[in-house]
Amino acid sequence: SAGAGAGGGGQRVAREIARLRERCGLLRAEADTRLQQAKDEHEASLADVRARHREALGRCRARFDALSKERVELLSPKAASPSFGRPTASLARSASLALLGM
């Protein structure tokens, strides 16, 4: 009689273990799905940020090139006014900084 009771308890424990394994498997699958979704969202966000930074860098480079060209033009002898002489480097720097909004 005692052996029969122990056998029934063993089956109950085995069923409980099987149920817990199944539940853990389902939870793991759900967690894996959520993790993959988070990774995908992060990658998409990162790609968007990289694209915005590339665009901003392109605008900065274009602005730098335009200011550099303007500075060269300001310092060229043909830009000098006959009544004031040739512009100084400090004047060209001031003009460049003004264009940058500084």
Side-chain angles (χ1 to χ4, degrees):
S1 165
Q11 288 177 357
R12 183 184 55 77
V13 169
R15 281 193 307 271
E16 183 66 13
I17 289 172
R19 188 187 70 75
L20 289 173
R21 281 186 178 155
E22 182 181 352
R23 178 75 178 136
C24 286
L26 292 173
L27 290 173
R28 177 169 288 168
E30 184 180 322
D32 287 345
T33 299
R34 286 183 181 177
L35 178 60
Q36 189 58 51
Q37 287 172 345
K39 284 180 179 180
D40 293 345
E41 290 171 8
H42 176 72
E43 286 298 322
S45 175
L46 188 57
D48 185 48
V49 167
R50 284 180 176 153
R52 286 196 315 262
H53 279 104
R54 276 192 304 273
E55 291 169 5
L57 182 59
R59 287 191 303 274
C60 286
R61 284 183 178 151
R63 181 86 169 136
F64 176 83
D65 291 344
L67 289 173
S68 294
K69 181 180 177 182
E70 183 175 341
R71 182 176 183 274
V72 167
E73 290 170 358
L74 283 172
L75 292 175
S76 72
K78 67 180 177 180
S81 168
S83 60
F84 295 108
R86 185 169 182 220
T88 64
S90 117
L91 176 63
R93 184 177 185 281
S94 296
S96 293
L97 290 176
L99 289 171
L100 285 172
M102 298 179 163

